[in-house]
């Protein structure tokens, strides 16, 4: 996989037919899989996603410092505490998501991005577009989830 990526580096790729009218690049099935342009596209997508999450987290922290439970009424305070608890759980899930984004960025650097960790087959571009942190093809993911369910039921 990494050798395919290295052999394609330096080559120029014209915008594919799947690109939109404004000329904004979108990976398409009509070009070599995980060529440098696709890798750059997914890297930029992952970095933007990570930046957006970090910005949201900073905004939450700033708001928490400003609002730090000023309500005198116990009911209002309890409501605020519940709201902040939900917000902080969301931020914790996003912290875990950042770890998955970082892992995907490492896979790009190592030439393993876009390939199923179970089968080694390419993950569809549509799946990567929808979930750029995907590590398995849809079929492998479904098998994994079925096996997980069976082992939980035992």
């Amino acid at each position: 996989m990494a050798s395919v990526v290295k052999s394609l580096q330096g080559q120029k790729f014209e915008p594919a037919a799947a690109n939109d009218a404004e000329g904004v690049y979108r990976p398409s099935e009509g070009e070599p899989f995980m060529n440098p342009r696709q890798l750059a596209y997914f890297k930029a997508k992952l970095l933007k996603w990570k930046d957006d999450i970090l910005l949201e987290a900073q905004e939450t922290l700033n708001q928490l410092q400003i609002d730090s439970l000023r309500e005198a009424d116990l009911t209002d305070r309890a409501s605020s505490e519940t709201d902040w608890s939900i917000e902080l759980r969301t931020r914790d899930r996003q912290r875990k998501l950042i770890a998955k984004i970082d892992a995907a960025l490492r896979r790009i650097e190592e030439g393993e991005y876009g390939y199923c960790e179970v089968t080694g087959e390419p993950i569809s571009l549509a799946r990567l577009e929808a979930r750029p942190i995907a590590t398995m093809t849809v079929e492998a993911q479904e098998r994994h989830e079925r096996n997980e369910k069976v082992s939980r039921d035992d």
Side-chain angles (χ1 to χ4, degrees):
M1 291 175 252
S3 61
V4 171
V5 171
K6 286 184 173 130
S7 70
L8 293 171
Q9 287 176 333
Q11 293 184 24
K12 294 200 181 242
F13 293 93
E14 294 303 315
N19 298 342
D20 61 28
E22 294 90 40
V24 176
Y25 175 75
R26 286 261 195 256
S28 75
E29 301 294 333
E31 59 187 318
F33 187 71
M34 286 303 125
N35 65 66
R37 195 168 188 192
Q38 286 182 357
L39 289 170
Y41 171 83
F42 285 111
K43 183 175 184 176
K45 185 176 183 89
L46 288 160
L47 288 171
K48 179 170 181 351
W49 193 9
K50 182 178 176 178
D51 287 347
D52 290 346
I53 292 169
L54 292 172
L55 181 61
E56 276 183 50
Q58 187 59 50
E59 289 170 359
T60 298
L61 182 60
N62 293 343
Q63 196 61 41
L64 187 57
Q65 290 170 341
I66 292 168
D67 289 350
S68 62
L69 304 174
R70 293 187 224 161
E71 295 88 355
D73 182 68
L74 289 177
T75 305
D76 290 343
R77 184 176 297 172
S79 178
S80 290
E81 287 176 1
T82 300
D83 291 347
W84 281 115
S85 176
I86 291 168
E87 185 69 26
L88 292 173
R89 277 196 307 266
T90 299
R91 294 295 154 243
D92 188 52
R93 280 193 303 276
Q94 289 181 330
R95 179 186 55 79
K96 293 172 185 170
L97 180 57
I98 286 174
K100 291 179 180 182
I101 292 170
D102 288 340
L105 290 167
R106 269 192 308 279
R107 287 193 306 279
I108 287 173
E109 296 306 317
E110 294 166 0
E112 297 172 1
Y113 183 80
Y115 294 92
C116 180
E117 66 183 14
V118 175
T119 66
E121 296 174 11
I123 300 170
S124 75
L125 290 174
R127 178 162 169 76
L128 290 171
E129 187 70 44
R131 187 154 178 81
I133 59 173
T135 59
M136 291 184 250
T137 61
V138 171
E139 298 79 12
Q141 183 71 41
E142 288 172 347
R143 269 193 312 276
H144 173 73
E145 289 172 5
R146 274 194 307 274
N147 291 340
E148 198 173 80
K149 183 181 183 311
V150 167
S151 65
R152 267 196 320 252
D153 291 344
D154 289 344

